[in-house]
Structures are given as C-alpha cells and as structure tokens.
Amino acid sequence: MIIEAAETQLQKLFGLSAEQVQRVLDTATRGEQGKKQGVFCDIYFQAGTSQGLTFDQGVLKNTSSSTTSGAGVRVVVGDKTGYSHTGHVNVTNLLQCAKVARAITEHASGNANVALDASDSLGRHNLYPILNSPVDIALQEKIDLLRKIDKEVRQYDARIQNVTVSIACESYTIIIVNSLEQIFVDLRPLVRISVSCLAEENGRKETGSSGGGGRYEFSVLAEDNMWQEHAHIAAKMAIDLLASTPAPAGVMDVVLGSGWPGVLIHEAVGHGLEGDFNRMGTSAFSSLMGEAVASPLVTVIDDGTMQDRRGSLNFDDEGTATGRTVLIENGVLKNYLQDKKNAGLMKSGVTGNGRRQDYRYAPIPRMTNTYMAGGESTPEEIIASVKYGLYAANFGGGQVDITNGNFTFSAVGAYLIENGKITRTVKGATLIGNGPKALHNVTMVGNDLSLDRGIGTCGKAGQGVPVGVGMPTIRINGVTVGGSQ
C-alpha cells in the first residue's frame, strides 16, 4: 500500500490517488495474457525545477528556468524490458504507458524465465538534508555571487581579459512506486558553479577553468572559501599556460595529481565494470571476476553514500539504497556495478547503481562517486622518484573503448618532471593507453586521496547523470604521451 506521506505527494504534484497508481501497476503486470508471475513494474515520477545563470564580459548574459513534470512506466520480464513515459501525468496517460511497456515485453524476443533481483532496500540514508531549495534563493543573491567571482578572477592578474561564470541549480522530487508494494520518495537538490577565463599576453591567448558543487544548500556554494578557490584555480591555470611550452612526446612515466584526474579511473576502468557490459560480454573485464586486473597497490571503490557529494543519492532510480562497493581490491576484481535487472540475470546482488537521467529513460547500471583508494607514499616522494616524465594535474576531454579498455585523455595543466622536480608548464599533452594495462603499471600510490570538486557529468546510452571521481597522486610507468615535441 502507498504510505500516507507519499500519497500526499502524488496528489499534490500529479493529482493522483493511491488507487489510480495501483490500477497502473495492475495493468502493467497483468498484460494481454492475464499473467502476473515473474513480471516486475515500477513507475518513476519526477517533478521540479532547474535554473541557470551566466555572467559574461562583466554583465549578466543569460538566465533560464525549466520545469519538469513527468513519469515513466517500466515493465521487466526476465531480460526483456518495456518502457514508456509521459510528460503530461494523469491516470489515462499512465494506463496507456503501462499497456505499451507491457506489450513491448510480450512481443520482444528474449528469456522470460530469469527473475529480476527484487531485493528490498536496506540502510536508508539522508545524505542531503537541506532546508532551503537552491532554486528558491533570490535571483539577486545569485547575481551578486556571479559578480563577486568575476571581480576576484580579474583581480588575480592584469593579463586576464575576460571571465565567464555560471551557476546551475536544481531541485527535484522523485517518487518510485513498484509492483512489490514498495514506495520511495526523495527530494534531490543540486548546485554548481563554473568559472572560466581568458588570459592574453603578447598576442598569445590561453584559457583556464574550474568549478564545483554538490547536493547541498546554495549558502554552501556562496561561502568565500568555496567560490574563491575556483576563481583562483581558473585564473592560475590561464596565467600558467601563457608561459607553457609544447609537451614532449614519447613513452614516459606519468604522475597523476589527486582529485579530478580520477576521471581516468572513471572512464578507463569504471565503465568497464558496469553490470550490463559484463553480462553481455562486451567489457574488457568480462569473465575476470576474482582475477588480478591491476597492481596490488590499486583499490577502486564506487560509493553513493558520501554526504553532499554530486554523485550521491539516498537511493538509486529503482529505489535500492546506494552503497559502498569495492570493485577492485589490492588489484583483484571483486564486484561489478549492478541494477536490479542485471543483478538478477547475473545472479549477483544489487549495488544501488540503477540510474537514469530523468523520467524519459529506463534505469541502467551507472557509477556514483568512483575513486581509487589512498596509499602510503607522499606526493613529494612520488614526484621525486621520476627522473623524466609528466605531471598531469588536471584533465580535459577523454574517451575510452570499453571493449578493450583503450583510452585517450588530454592533460590540461600538465608539467614536466626533470630529475624529481616539477620544472615547467607544458601544453598539448595527450595520454594514450589501455586501462587494464595502465592499472598494472601503477607503481606508487599517494596518501593524499581527494575527490573532485563536484563537476562531473557521465554520459552513457544517451543519458547524462551527475557523478563524482577521485584519486590520490599516483605514478604510472610507461605511458604513451602524445605531444608536439
């Protein structure tokens, strides 16, 4: 039965009663043949607002606001999934969605004789207990913050010619109801600032950027130490690049800095550990459970329970409580990231990683906050150990082929290491390699684990979801570096 508090939300946001929602579930699970055995259905409701502001060239250039109200009905029968959604929520449209979703499963090919993992959710969290929705904060307060950041970046150095600052806020109510008589309600806030600037000297132009945020109140974002840090990072990057020289090319030892460089773990390793890719046998890590896939120094964890983090959730988009999943422990593959469907098909437990961009999409296995655990070396010891190599403090874009683990990443804010010391800024460095092989070549792991500042958005199957990444300073031997020298 739908609990009273959830029924109040359904009535308030969508004008639906508990009886109407139950009719939709019954229609989806009954289908044309009148069979209910082994059929699972959930309805994902979403309502809320997102807001964006951009300050460019010293003036407010753009403001936007959009409201979302919709629901999607999913039916799962074995390895067959039917999904249908509507942006106009009423009982008539939801009943039609239920019929369409069930019809898809009845007419699709596949194996209906495998049970979906219907594990109940345990370990309830309250990871983002905010009092004030970020979208309800006065517009003038947000504009004042944009103006302060713009001023701070310009004051950093006279060579900075232009600054662009943006703020994004959102707040959504999520309600999930399923055919197991479970219901979950979550209020999900998210805030982020992004800072970029252009520096110019003697006709040379370079850019720097920084940003961050999380699932917390706008007042946290507006704290001086928060926005000032991003202003200074963006400004320093642009100014440092003015003095940069072309990056060397060749095979060399590479030191990755802590924090955002963990995106390499996310892309080159994390996607390959998602359950759907491994169930279908398309991942470089398929069939390697229990085997050594990395150096004994490497432990990789996905944790959706970290307070206030961008990638954290109280429960995933199926209603499973998020958890802390050790994926690789001391180099050995221990777990994959699972949603209900793939966990059932692979006969493994759910990990709380069934995620979706919004109500228009069915959930699939996705990362939350994925990072490499810390080690025992100091960052200074790691840098001092390299005779000649590259120190990558930040990453730009990158891509990976999950079927073989091959990756390419551009290093932004890279520095040359010579005789154990960082000597000069270099530009245009690209790291080229293979995820599993790179993990085996990790020879030192720092004691300075940190997560990124809250900027990550992960793309998969046409969906984007907020995520976190992280790592300590690490040394990887024998990385191919593409450069221009």
Side-chain angles (χ1 to χ4, degrees), residues 302-381:
D302 184 88
D303 190 348
T305 69
M306 306 176 83
Q307 189 83 25
D308 300 333
R309 294 296 310 180
R310 179 173 169 83
S312 295
L313 294 170
N314 288 328
F315 53 80
D316 71 4
D317 294 320
E318 299 181 297
T320 304
T322 52
R324 180 182 185 273
T325 304
V326 177
L327 299 169
I328 299 172
E329 185 174 28
N330 299 326
V332 177
L333 180 59
K334 294 292 188 179
N335 288 291
Y336 297 128
L337 297 175
Q338 300 287 18
D339 62 351
K340 286 181 179 293
K341 174 181 173 179
N342 287 281
L345 294 170
M346 296 179 73
K347 294 182 171 55
S348 66
V350 292
T351 59
N353 290 90
R355 303 192 63 190
R356 64 181 102 199
Q357 177 174 311
D358 56 44
Y359 72 89
R360 297 171 297 170
Y361 301 90
I364 52 178
R366 305 293 297 273
M367 286 171 274
T368 56
N369 304 298
T370 311
Y371 61 93
M372 182 188 292
E376 298 182 356
S377 301
T378 67
E380 294 77 15
E381 289 171 340

Side-chain angles (χ1 to χ4, degrees), residues 210-214 216 226 229-230 233 259-260 309-310 451-456 469:
S210 184
Y216 43 67
M226 173 75 76
E229 181 180 23
H230 296 301
I233 291 172
W260 177 246
R309 294 296 310 180
R310 179 173 169 83
L451 270 71
D452 74 288
R453 297 176 179 86
I455 60 174
V469 302

